[in-house]
Amino acid sequence: MSVSPKKDSGFILKDCALIAIATGQRAITLKEFRGLLATITPSSIDYHFWAGMLQPRFEEREFNNDFASWARHSLHDGILAERLAMIDPADYQDMESLRLELLEQIEQRLDESEYLHWAHALYPFEFIRAKIVVFDTRHRLKAPHRLASMLPRMSTSSVFYHFIDARRRLGGKDDFRQWLESYGDSYLPLCEELAAIDPSFAPLTELRQRLADTFSRHFKGARS
């Protein structure tokens, strides 16, 4: 259970790494995929939406989640791929509501195409779950304005932990807002702007820059 930080406790800057763990569950048809998706651990759904952001790539991701990528490149179903790619995980309060949306889209597509009931994918979908390993960077920020100077220097994995993984831990809220709200309404406009930032469709480097710009505007002229 998360406890709101006290005003004098400061912001504890952390970093993280994801360890991928095979579940042993794999699907070769869309029907098999739907069946496994209905019962797979929520951490696997989380992994297949977000883990790609932490994996270095030389090419730009065509789709923002592994489910859409599999539908396009292995099932060769562009329609389902586009529908799954349009799902924004940031719009859902928890993994169960996100799971239901995925299942609804898949069931709708199965109703539309008899072929997809038996068609074999080029390669199976391997369900992976992840364990997040958290590191204490030993940086302590005593005042909110210090985040303005710290954010451009934060690692992308630290941004992931505090702004994306936090939403899973805190029921949709990131660590920055959690800390700022401990000051009452003092930083309400900043919190509202942070809440409006969608982390789903941009690389972590772009997300970090947007967060840095947001804090910089709000604390322009503040002593570092």
Side-chain angles (χ1 to χ4, degrees), residues 17-31:
L18 286 182
I19 300 176
I21 303 171
T23 66
Q25 303 294 306
R26 61 176 60 185
I28 197 66
T29 68
L30 189 57
K31 284 188 70 175

Side-chain angles (χ1 to χ4, degrees), residues 120-177:
H120 281 214
L122 185 64
Y123 53 85
F125 187 92
E126 305 273 355
F127 283 93
I128 305 295
R129 65 182 178 90
K131 180 177 180 180
I132 188 166
V133 180
V134 183
F135 309 95
D136 188 340
T137 69
R138 301 188 181 280
H139 286 289
R140 303 291 187 269
L141 306 179
K142 294 298 185 182
H145 74 266
R146 292 187 178 275
L147 273 170
S149 58
M150 177 58 73
L151 267 162
R153 297 182 283 123
M154 286 174 60
S155 68
T156 53
S157 50
S158 185
V159 172
F160 178 90
Y161 177 77
H162 288 297
F163 198 71
I164 295 175
D165 184 70
R167 296 179 180 221
R168 174 186 60 80
R169 291 182 277 110
L170 303 176
K173 189 180 297 183
D174 59 82
D175 286 333
F176 303 132
R177 280 186 286 155

Side-chain angles (χ1 to χ4, degrees), residues 8-145:
D8 60 356
S9 66
F11 187 88
I12 301 173
L13 189 64
K14 297 184 179 181
D15 209 329
C16 75
L18 286 182
I19 300 176
I21 303 171
T23 66
Q25 303 294 306
R26 61 176 60 185
I28 197 66
T29 68
L30 189 57
K31 284 188 70 175
E32 290 176 353
F33 178 82
R34 179 190 61 183
L36 291 174
L37 181 63
T39 59
I40 201 70
T41 174
S43 67
S44 180
I45 298 173
D46 189 57
Y47 175 87
H48 289 296
F49 266 98
W50 296 113
M53 299 183 77
L54 285 175
Q55 296 169 346
R57 294 173 183 264
F58 294 103
E59 76 282 355
E60 187 173 347
R61 281 166 59 93
E62 183 180 357
F63 296 103
N64 63 318
N65 66 72
D66 293 340
F67 303 131
S69 182
W70 181 72
R72 176 66 184 87
H73 298 296
S74 188
L75 277 176
H76 302 297
D77 188 347
I79 294 174
L80 179 60
E82 289 183 9
R83 291 176 184 175
L84 295 179
M86 290 296 292
I87 296 176
D88 185 347
D91 290 340
Y92 299 86
Q93 286 294 322
D94 52 45
M95 287 299 109
E96 291 309 318
S97 55
L98 179 56
R99 186 202 305 270
L100 290 175
E101 177 62 25
L102 288 165
L103 289 171
E104 182 176 335
Q105 292 298 332
I106 292 165
E107 287 166 3
Q108 179 181 340
R109 189 68 185 118
L110 284 169
D111 287 343
E112 295 169 350
S113 173
E114 183 65 29
Y115 168 79
L116 287 174
H117 282 255
W118 54 265
H120 281 214
L122 185 64
Y123 53 85
F125 187 92
E126 305 273 355
F127 283 93
I128 305 295
R129 65 182 178 90
K131 180 177 180 180
I132 188 166
V133 180
V134 183
F135 309 95
D136 188 340
T137 69
R138 301 188 181 280
H139 286 289
R140 303 291 187 269
L141 306 179
K142 294 298 185 182
H145 74 266

